[in-house]
Structures are given as C-alpha cells and as structure tokens.
Amino acid sequence: MAKHIFVIGGVLSSLGKGIASSSIGLLMKKMGYNVVMQKFDPYLNVDPGTMSPFQHGEVFVTDDGVETDLDLGHYERFIGIPLNKNSNSTTGQIYEAVLKKERRGDYLGKTVQVIPHVTNEIKNLIRKIGKDNDIVITEIGGTVGDIESLPFLEAIRQFRMDVGIENSLFIYLTYVPFIKAAGELKTKPTQHATTKLREIGIQPDILLCRSERLFNDEIRNKIALFTNVQKSRVINAVDVATIYEVPKVFMQANLHEKICEHFHLTQNKIDFSDWDQIIDNIKNSEKEVTIAVCGKYVEHQDAYKSVGAALIHAAAANRMKLNIKWVDSEKTFSSEEIEKQLIDVDGILIPGGFGVRGIDGKIGIARYARENQIPFFGICLGLQIAVIEFAQNVCNLKEAYSSEFNEECQHPVIDLMEDQRYLEMMGGSMRLGAYPCKLKKNTLTHKIYGRKEISERHRHRYEFNNKYREIIEKNGMVISGISPDDFLVEIIEIPDHPFFIGVQFHPEFKSRPDKVQPIFRDFIKKAAKLKMNK
Ligand code: GLN
C-alpha cells in the first residue's frame, strides 16, 4: 500500500506549503519512489476556474483539462510528472458529490453529516490517488484554526487510524519569526499552532519551521519540548534565494532520511547534481536579460505564476539572470508611453487573459515589438492580440478585433467557432487541456521544437477566424502550427522578424526547471543574443 504524507500549515498563510510539499516530492522521487501529489482546497467554489486571478492567482490546467489551484503547477515543476483531475479537490466538489449521492438515495435514509459522510468522501479521494503509487503527498489548503479546513483535518486524523502510523506521516509547516526589537527568533507561534493541531487530534510527526534566519539548538530544543516532536524531527526551513533551493535545504536537514525511517523504507542515495546546476544558473549567472510581461494582472504576479516560472527556467538554461519588467497594459497605451516602458527591454511577452480591459494597450505593444524587431512571444490572448494587430496594421483591416471585446466588430479575426466540434466534446464553451498540434516544416517553431507534432495545454474560448486565414497569410504571417485536421490555428509567426511567435495554448504549464519549454528557451536565447549585438 502507498505511504501517505500529509502536509498541513499553521500560524499563517503564504509560508510556502505548496513548495514544501513539492520539495518533499522531489526528494522522494529522486530516491526512486513513485510519487503522486494532491491538494485539498477548503473553499466552496467547485473549481478555481471561475475565481478571479486578482484574488486567487493563476488557474493551472492539467493535460486532462481540469482547472486547478496554482500549487499543482509547483507540484508538476518539482516532481516532473503530469497530474490529473484526482490531484485537486475543493470543499465545493466534495459537497457536490455528497449531495448528489444523497439525492440518488445512496445513503439509504440515513442522516447525512460532515462526519462520516463528508470525511468518508475525503478519505476515498486520498485512497483513490494512492493506487499504483509508492508515496502520496496530500497538501491540506488553508491554515490550522480555519473553520473551513476542519473536515479535511478530521478526515486525515481518521485516515491514520485506518492505515496505521507506519503508513501515514503528518508534516506541519510553521513559522518562527525574528523579532527585531528583541533580536530573537520566537517559538511561541509554533507552540500555539501545534497545540491547536493537537486539539483537533493530530500530533505532528515532523515540523518544518520557516524562519528568516537559521536557528540554534536552544530554539530547536524549546520547539521540541513544547510541541512533543523529537528534536531531530524539528527541521529549520530557512529562507533561501530561490524556491528551487528548498529541496536542498530539506535534504541537508536529512528530511528524506526521517521520512524513510518513519515509513520503514529503504533510503536510496540522491543525485542532486542536475538541480545544483539549475540553482547555480539561477543564482550566479552574470549576464542579464530583461523581459517585459505585459498584462492587466501585473500587480498580482501570482496570476502569471507559470509564465514567471517558465521564464526563470529558460533564463537558467541559457545561463542568464532574468529581470522581469511587469508592464500594466491598462496604463500603457499611448505610443509614447509604450516606447517609454519598452525601450530598454530585450523581449516582450503578452500572456493569457480575459476581457476587454487593457486590450488596446496590448495591441499597441504587439505593434511596437513587430515594427521594432524586438523578440515577441504571445501566449493565448497574446496570439490573438498579435493577429488583431497584424490584421489592422499590415492587412489594412482597420476594424479587425476579437468578438470577445466587441461582438459587433466588422472584422472578427478572432471569433467564437459555433461549429467547433471540440467545444461540444468538452461539454462547455472553453477549450481546456492538452491538444495535439502539427508543426509546419521549415518554420521557426518547427526548428525550435525539432518535432512534427506536439501537445500543449489550452484554456480559452476564442479562436483564429479561418475566414481571414488567406488574407493574413498573403500578407506574410505564417501559420506554423495547426490542429491535426487543419482546422484550428494553434501557432503563428512572422518570418520577417528575428523572433515573433504567438501560440493559442499555454506552453508555460509544461515548463520544468530540468525540462525547459522550447519556445521559452529560444525566446530568451534570441533576446539575449540581440542584446549582445546592440
Ligand atoms: N480571452 C481569450 C479567450 O477566451 C484568451 C484566453 C486566454 O488567454 N487564456 O479565447
């Protein structure tokens, strides 16, 4: 049977439970175990698809087309394994399932209650994902003390009773703040948070204590004494320069050893050299490259989590230090302002987005990149913007627009496809998840991927309007990627430009530090090269 690791958070949010869980996943995987990961989100939304990026950050999409919490992006980037619908469940989903069963009469007239019906549903989800895997890491969203996470904590408390201590491990992430006035690290929040967890019936087996500074033995002893956790299992998760260093911190603290010990698993040697190289590239590269990311959520960078990660991976792979210049497309629309913002950047990226706000700024930015031969990478909405701009200013279709922004526009070069059978197949209007795409020979994209067919993940409603394919191609934009049935335009490029690519999918979802997404890699490479020649 699978060994289950539960990652719980105390004291406050934003301590990096997702990164901590992912780092544990990487270490277990590097020891040769089959790892799978899962997140429970305690909110009532059925999935994060309908939640604003301003509030909730990016919606991460899996191959099987599920809109999930952005932590799944961290999981995939660290453990390098594509996850699916079993890896993210929300309270909303769980209640929906329980209520459906109730309506169907499955509970045979019993009173339906949080315990045992909701908790059983949660336990089933944990068990289900454990099949065929050695290690399951389950992250419980929220912070201990929240009303919302109680059913999940209760479920995992029961789960330990069901499977035994040797098959379940509770890891608790807490915070040890440094109080400047006292000049000391303080253990009280960790003590109280652990008491709170014990009240719920869970005694943590391992503590991961986040802190700004390394703590000494005295602090460790104190935490161990008050929390009832063995001293050797109180691990100091000290702040590091890049999230990719966290597994190393855990490894140096022998966390993997403690986990194996607990589960009676063989502790295999970990080869960390590939990650060491990545960390070195991120931290110690001397040459810099500056990429403008132009969107409307730039003040909430969590909205572009995977784009930021993919850029970091790509810069590291080119041994470049990455500077991201976040450009607010709502504020940047006059040509003077665009030039002012973009004059010193080496590449321009327009990421995905929804709705009309900031659109004209983005069209101006795409034009600036095209006319000034600045490497350009448009993702999803970014492709649509590039097509609109090209239609308006090169094909002379002045009224070209997307029907998303103006239903009545004269030339909807980006439009909803009523007859699109893919959409019907998905049972909704959003094209979600992985789709295959054929690449056209002798194009830049083909050269970049070095393959004839690729698969990337989608999340959008609108498509390139085929009625305009001829005029757009005639004017020099090349369709370098298309669906296998030649129907859906997936990638465009402009050959008469050093690097101008737009993709209808989200390639950032599949970029990993040790397996960099090829378009990101070559976009950075080109930006860096042109910078050198300046
Ligand atoms: N709003 C556009 C659409 O729905 C683009 C979506 C996106 O960038 N993810 O087609």
Side-chain angles (χ1 to χ4, degrees):
M1 103 162 256
K3 304 284 188 188
H4 290 266
I5 300 176
F6 296 98
V7 181
I8 313 159
V11 183
L12 50 110
S13 61
S14 301
L15 286 181
K17 235 182 315 142
I19 302 291
S21 308
S22 307
S23 300
I24 296 166
L26 176 70
L27 295 182
M28 297 313 286
K29 188 184 163 213
K30 278 193 174 287
M31 279 193 293
Y33 294 109
N34 278 333
V35 179
V36 72
M37 301 189 61
Q38 172 183 45
K39 168 136 195 225
F40 286 123
D41 279 308
Y43 46 74
L44 282 166
N45 304 61
V46 172
D47 66 44
T50 51
M51 289 162 89
S52 163
F54 285 117
Q55 259 196 28
H56 195 70
E58 165 184 286
V59 174
F60 187 79
V61 180
T62 52
D63 276 334
D64 60 343
V66 180
E67 297 177 286
T68 71
D69 185 78
L70 56 77
D71 270 325
L72 268 79
H74 294 310
Y75 300 170
E76 284 201 1
R77 288 189 279 276
F78 278 66
I79 65 170
I81 295 164
L83 300 171
N84 59 34
K85 63 175 187 322
N86 297 329
S87 283
N88 195 195
S89 304
T90 69
T91 297
Q93 255 166 48
I94 290 160
Y95 272 80
E96 196 181 39
V98 169
L99 293 176
K100 222 182 242 160
K101 286 184 187 166
E102 188 274 334
R103 291 291 83 186
R104 251 193 343 236
D106 290 11
Y107 297 118
L108 306 173
K110 288 205 184 84
T111 310
V112 181
Q113 292 174 299
V114 174
I115 306 172
H117 301 101
V118 170
T119 46
N120 280 350
E121 197 67 35
I122 297 170
K123 289 197 286 181
N124 288 341
L125 291 167
I126 299 170
R127 248 179 239 117
K128 186 167 154 200
I129 202 169
K131 282 200 187 104
D132 308 322
N133 283 295
D134 305 323
I135 304 281
V136 179
I137 301 172
T138 303
E139 178 188 344
I140 311 295
T143 308
V144 169
D146 298 346
I147 292 176
E148 286 91 342
S149 19
L150 280 174
F152 294 106
L153 296 170
E154 169 59 17
I156 64 171
R157 183 195 69 77
Q158 294 174 16
F159 194 83
R160 165 164 279 186
M161 298 301 285
D162 298 346
V163 301
I165 291 186
E166 65 285 6
N167 293 314
S168 61
L169 176 75
F170 295 129
I171 298 188
Y172 197 26
L173 181 66
T174 72
Y175 186 48
V176 179
F178 178 77
I179 303 298
K180 256 205 208 127
E184 273 183 66
L185 286 160
K186 290 292 186 186
T187 64
K188 196 69 83 187
T190 294
Q191 295 177 32
H192 283 181
T194 310
T195 306
K196 187 86 207 154
L197 187 60
R198 272 205 308 264
E199 275 168 20
I200 301 167
I202 296 176
Q203 164 65 44
D205 302 302
I206 293 179
L207 290 185
L208 296 176
C209 304
R210 276 293 299 274
S211 71
E212 253 174 80
R213 310 181 174 200
L214 268 180
F215 53 63
N216 57 22
D217 240 27
E218 196 190 323
I219 300 275
R220 196 183 307 272
N221 283 334
K222 203 164 164 188
I223 294 174
L225 179 70
F226 282 97
T227 61
N228 230 9
V229 174
Q230 280 172 37
K231 190 181 154 191
S232 64
R233 290 178 168 210
V234 176
I235 289 175
N236 188 183
V238 71
D239 286 3
V240 278
T242 149
I243 54 168
Y244 299 108
E245 247 180 305
V246 176
K248 179 106 186 189
V249 172
F250 288 176
M251 189 172 83
Q252 283 165 340
N254 289 326
L255 175 60
H256 58 303
E257 214 179 277
K258 311 280 170 243
I259 295 173
C260 290
E261 217 175 78
H262 181 97
F263 287 140
H264 309 295
L265 287 174
T266 325
Q267 192 200 319
N268 303 318
K269 217 175 147 21
I270 293 181
D271 176 3
F272 206 74
S273 52
D274 52 345
W275 276 63
D276 275 336
Q277 184 60 57
I278 295 161
I279 295 165
D280 185 60
N281 289 344
I282 294 175
K283 284 172 68 176
N284 303 322
S285 296
E286 274 154 24
K287 293 198 183 113
E288 290 190 11
V289 63
T290 302
I291 303 296
V293 176
C294 312
K296 70 173 175 191
Y297 312 117
V298 289
E299 292 193 358
H300 302 263
Q301 286 151 20
D302 264 4
Y304 303 115
K305 201 88 201 171
S306 295
V307 169
L311 285 170
I312 290 173
H313 306 159
N318 285 293
R319 193 140 177 109
M320 301 295 294
K321 194 176 170 65
L322 176 72
N323 287 324
I324 297 184
K325 178 165 186 177
W326 299 98
V327 176
D328 186 337
S329 56
E330 273 193 278
K331 293 190 190 131
T332 316
F333 46 85
S334 69
S335 41
E336 297 77 42
E337 186 59 25
I338 290 173
E339 177 154 10
K340 197 172 124 203
Q341 290 286 337
L342 300 177
I343 190 98
D344 55 351
V345 306
D346 309 310
I348 295 174
L349 188 152
I350 300 187
F354 291 84
V356 69
R357 277 169 50 196
I359 288 305
D360 292 328
K362 287 182 194 166
I363 295 174
I365 289 167
R367 178 177 194 166
Y368 181 83
R370 181 178 57 78
E371 291 182 345
N372 293 287
Q373 307 272 299
I374 302 169
F376 174 88
F377 187 10
I379 294 178
C380 206
L381 178 66
L383 166 138
Q384 300 176 355
I385 295 287
V387 170
I388 294 169
E389 188 281 316
F390 193 82
Q392 287 182 355
N393 301 316
V394 180
C395 307
N396 217 11
L397 299 170
K398 293 285 169 241
E399 305 297 317
Y401 222 35
S402 162
S403 50
E404 179 179 6
F405 316 134
N406 176 6
E407 268 182 67
E408 255 88 69
C409 73
Q410 197 188 337
H411 294 299
V413 289
I414 304 295
D415 201 3
L416 277 181
M417 303 235 150
E418 302 319 338
D419 57 339
Q420 220 206 72
R421 57 182 194 278
Y422 289 100
L423 297 184
E424 278 161 22
M425 247 166 59
M426 295 308 300
S429 64
M430 190 89 97
R431 179 144 75 111
L432 284 168
Y435 283 84
C437 164
K438 288 188 303 188
L439 301 182
K440 192 170 181 177
K441 266 203 179 142
N442 301 323
T443 57
L444 177 59
T445 319
H446 183 243
K447 208 176 111 203
I448 288 174
Y449 275 99
R451 259 184 296 151
K452 280 197 303 218
E453 196 174 303
I454 56 164
S455 167
E456 297 279 6
R457 299 178 191 172
H458 291 248
R459 181 173 184 254
H460 57 101
R461 285 198 181 83
Y462 292 79
E463 305 277 354
F464 184 109
N465 186 343
N466 284 329
K467 281 188 216 141
Y468 293 92
R469 222 193 253 191
E470 200 185 324
I471 180 166
I472 286 176
E473 283 186 297
K474 220 167 68 199
N475 279 281
M477 184 172 261
V478 168
I479 293 166
S480 48
I482 196 139
S483 59
D485 61 359
D486 289 315
F487 190 64
L488 298 168
V489 171
E490 305 282 38
I491 311 174
I492 57 93
E493 60 184 61
I494 299 178
D496 192 16
H497 188 286
F499 190 107
F500 194 105
I501 292 182
V503 296
Q504 189 55 79
F505 43 81
H506 288 275
E508 69 272 25
F509 291 148
K510 283 177 60 172
S511 181
R512 287 149 189 187
D514 48 357
K515 212 162 149 225
V516 183
Q517 207 288 334
I519 310 182
F520 276 91
R521 180 198 61 212
D522 284 17
F523 170 58
I524 294 284
K525 191 170 172 187
K526 192 71 180 185
K529 190 160 173 228
L530 291 181
K531 180 188 180 178
M532 263 171 36
N533 297 343
K534 261 186 206 164

